[in-house]
Amino acid sequence: MKITPIGIWGGYPKANSATSSFLIEHDNFHCLIDCGSGVLSSLQNYLPLEKIDAVVVSHYHADHIADVGSLQFSRIINFYLGHQAPPLPIYGHTKDQENFTKLSYQDQTVGIGISEDDVIQIGPFKVSFCRTVHPVYCLAMKFKVGGQSIVLTADTEWRDELIDFARGADLLISEANLYEEHVGKAPGHMGGSEAGRMAKLAGVKQLVLTHLPLHGNIEEILDAAVVVYDGPTELAEVGKVYEV
Ligand SMILES: [Zn+2]
C-alpha cells in the first residue's frame, strides 16, 4: 500500500493548501480519505480526479467534507462532456442522515453507509472502523492488504479503544491538533504527546501526525510526540509517499 497526504490542516486550510486528507493506493486502486476544503485542488497534483475509485469520509465536519460537492460537480461536468463513468462510491456513516444523503448526487456519486462494527472490502483494501471521541460521530479507519495495515485515527480525543484498534499497525496516521497547553481542555482532539502515547502503546512501526493547527509552531507538536514514542515520527508532508 502507499499513502500520500493531500492536506494536513485542521479546521481550514492555509493558503494554497488543504485540510487533512490522504490518498491511499494499491494495485492501481485509488481511494481518497476525507474530502475537506482545498482537497480537490491539491489532489490534482497527484491524481486526475476521474481516476478516484472510492472516497471514505470519517465524519461530516466541513474540514472533512467541504469539497464533496465540488467532486460531485467534477463528475457531472465530465458526464456532460461525454465521459461515462459508474457512480463513485462515497463511504460515510449513517448516524447523520441529512449529511449522509448528500453523499449521493444524481447518478454520479452514491453514498454507502459504514459503521463502527463493519469490516468491508473497498477495492483491494479490507477496511474496518472504530468510533472516536469527537463532538460529532466520527470513525477511525484501518486499511489492510495482506499482513500490512495503515490506521488513521480521524478526529478524536484520547480513547483507550483506539490502542487496540491500532495495535501493531505498520503506519499510524494520528491527528495531533493541539499544543500541549490545550491537551485535555479542547474537546475532540489530541496533542502530540497523546499521539505519541497511542503509537507507543499500540506498538506501531511508524507515526505520522496530521490535522495540525494553523497557529503556532507545529514543530512543537512533533517534539511532544517524540518525547513519548521513539519510533520513526514525522509531521505529514503533502505529496510525500509513505509505503508499507
Ligand atoms: Zn471534526
Side-chain angles (χ1 to χ4, degrees):
M1 280 181 281
K2 66 175 189 175
I3 188 162
T4 308
I6 301 302
I8 64 167
W9 303 112
Y12 65 96
K14 278 196 177 176
N16 306 313
S17 62
T19 54
S20 186
S21 168
F22 293 83
L23 176 64
I24 187 165
E25 299 166 290
H26 184 68
D27 266 357
N28 208 29
F29 189 94
H30 316 282
C31 178
L32 181 67
I33 302 169
D34 283 329
C35 190
S37 184
V39 167
L40 223 57
S41 171
S42 176
L43 177 60
Q44 291 172 80
N45 291 310
Y46 311 103
L47 187 74
L49 296 182
E50 62 272 19
K51 293 224 161 151
I52 305 172
D53 295 298
V55 180
V56 186
V57 296
S58 57
H59 65 303
Y60 299 117
H61 274 158
D63 52 341
H64 296 259
I65 57 163
D67 272 4
V68 167
S70 294
L71 174 61
Q72 291 165 333
F73 281 178
S74 78
R75 308 284 297 189
I76 204 138
I77 288 166
N78 239 6
F79 172 74
Y80 288 141
L81 291 174
H83 305 295
Q84 297 280 354
L88 174 70
I90 305 181
Y91 296 82
H93 72 71
T94 55
K95 306 282 184 196
D96 174 345
Q97 274 298 326
E98 190 184 339
N99 273 306
F100 174 71
T101 301
K102 290 180 188 166
L103 300 182
S104 298
Y105 180 71
Q106 301 190 5
D107 288 328
Q108 300 306 314
T109 64
V110 57
I112 299 177
I114 51 175
S115 84
E116 61 208 69
D117 302 319
D118 289 348
V119 181
I120 60 171
Q121 197 73 29
I122 301 178
F125 306 108
K126 186 189 268 192
V127 187
S128 51
F129 305 94
C130 184
R131 188 177 181 175
T132 76
V133 181
H134 199 55
V136 298
Y137 188 90
C138 177
L139 292 171
M141 308 167 200
K142 176 159 48 187
F143 287 73
K144 288 182 86 167
V145 170
Q148 309 300 115
S149 63
I150 297 175
V151 171
L152 301 100
T153 65
D155 288 17
T156 189
E157 56 187 68
W158 181 266
R159 184 170 191 243
D160 284 342
E161 284 80 355
L162 288 169
I163 302 168
D164 264 343
F165 186 67
R167 181 84 60 202
D170 295 278
L171 171 60
L172 173 64
I173 297 176
S174 178
E175 80 125 282
N177 194 233
L178 303 178
Y179 291 101
E180 290 306 298
E181 61 265 34
H182 299 128
V183 170
K185 295 176 191 157
H189 292 290
M190 295 195 291
S193 64
E194 292 175 303
R197 183 151 58 105
M198 184 91 57
K200 181 180 178 173
L201 294 175
V204 305
K205 297 192 178 71
Q206 186 178 359
L207 173 64
V208 168
L209 305 172
T210 187
H211 207 281
L212 301 166
L214 287 102
H215 62 285
N217 175 8
I218 55 176
E219 292 295 327
E220 291 175 15
I221 291 188
L222 177 62
D223 293 345
V226 300
V227 166
V228 184
Y229 172 65
D230 58 11
T233 306
E234 57 191 283
L235 300 175
E237 185 184 323
V238 173
K240 178 168 178 177
V241 177
Y242 300 86
E243 277 195 77
V244 304

